[in-house]
Amino acid sequence: MKRKYSFFIAVAIVFVACQQPQIAAPPKPVDLDAAKKEVTTMLDDYHGAMKTKNASLMANLFAEEGLYCGTDPNELWDKEAFSDYIRQAFADTSVVTNYTVERRKVRVSPDGKSAIAVEQFIDSYSPKILVRVVSHLVRDSISWKLDFTSWALVPTNADLPRINQAVADEQSATQPTQQ
């Protein structure tokens, strides 16, 4: 009988010992400066593709499940719709995209798997109002991909009253008069 109990105790000890959580190796430290340089290079490629009207390169930089926002409230696209929009816009020979990113801030997550970028510039389609692009990027096993972008026109606070007045004047001029 004593042998039977000893056997069950030994089996129980082995079973419990096998159930102990394995201590994971500490994660490899992430070189955030290198990741930031990779993100910066990817963003330069993105803007280079925009300037040279290379729609296929731009589409390759988008994540499959991304969300892409234009400057108009109706411009909310997935990858396919945004890629189609870009192809159509680039086919228009009157569209000229010429700008230089004047300011860029990049923040890489501590695990090195995602980043946020904020870029600002003046473009030919908005020569008086700053364009700000906010992007979220994710790192897959190969490269960085844009999984969110939001393009916005950002007037100075001092210009807001004049812009609001111009919009109000335009709205009142286009509304039919009542008699």
Side-chain angles (χ1 to χ4, degrees):
M1 183 100 158
K2 194 174 186 184
R3 263 181 156 175
K4 216 181 216 184
Y5 286 123
S6 297
F7 174 73
F8 285 122
I9 290 173
V11 169
I13 289 172
V14 169
F15 180 73
V16 170
C18 290
Q19 298 302 316
Q20 295 298 321
Q22 299 296 321
I23 298 173
K28 293 190 299 186
V30 175
D31 185 345
L32 296 178
D33 289 333
K36 188 175 180 178
K37 286 178 185 173
E38 291 174 0
V39 168
T40 299
T41 298
M42 187 274 200
L43 291 169
D44 289 342
D45 291 346
Y46 172 76
H47 293 293
M50 178 82 73
K51 292 174 190 178
T52 60
K53 296 185 173 187
N54 188 337
S56 61
L57 174 57
M58 286 189 71
N60 287 334
L61 300 175
F62 301 145
E64 291 301 321
E65 300 299 320
L67 173 63
Y68 309 98
C69 309
T71 57
D72 188 274
N74 296 313
E75 295 175 340
L76 296 172
W77 301 292
D78 61 12
K79 179 181 179 174
E80 183 180 351
F82 191 39
S83 297
D84 288 344
Y85 171 81
I86 289 168
R87 275 191 285 282
Q88 291 171 15
F90 288 176
D92 183 348
T93 57
S94 68
V95 173
V96 176
T97 307
N98 188 18
Y99 59 89
T100 301
V101 174
E102 297 170 6
R103 189 172 184 191
R104 176 183 285 157
K105 296 285 184 183
V106 174
R107 299 282 161 82
V108 178
S109 66
D111 65 3
K113 295 180 180 179
S114 67
I116 294 174
V118 178
E119 301 171 297
Q120 296 182 159
F121 51 88
I122 298 290
D123 194 5
S124 56
Y125 74 87
S126 179
K128 301 292 183 190
I129 300 176
L130 185 78
V131 177
R132 179 181 291 157
V133 182
V134 178
S135 303
H136 184 260
L137 302 92
V138 292
R139 177 117 172 96
D140 63 16
S141 61
I142 300 169
S143 62
W144 289 94
K145 300 285 185 185
L146 289 161
D147 77 338
F148 174 81
T149 59
S150 180
W151 289 66
L153 300 175
V154 183
T156 64
N157 291 338
D159 288 340
L160 283 175
R162 291 191 301 266
I163 292 169
N164 285 327
Q165 186 60 54
V167 171
D169 292 347
E170 178 66 23
Q171 287 174 341
S172 64
T174 59
Q175 291 177 351
T177 56
Q178 295 179 345
Q179 294 188 15

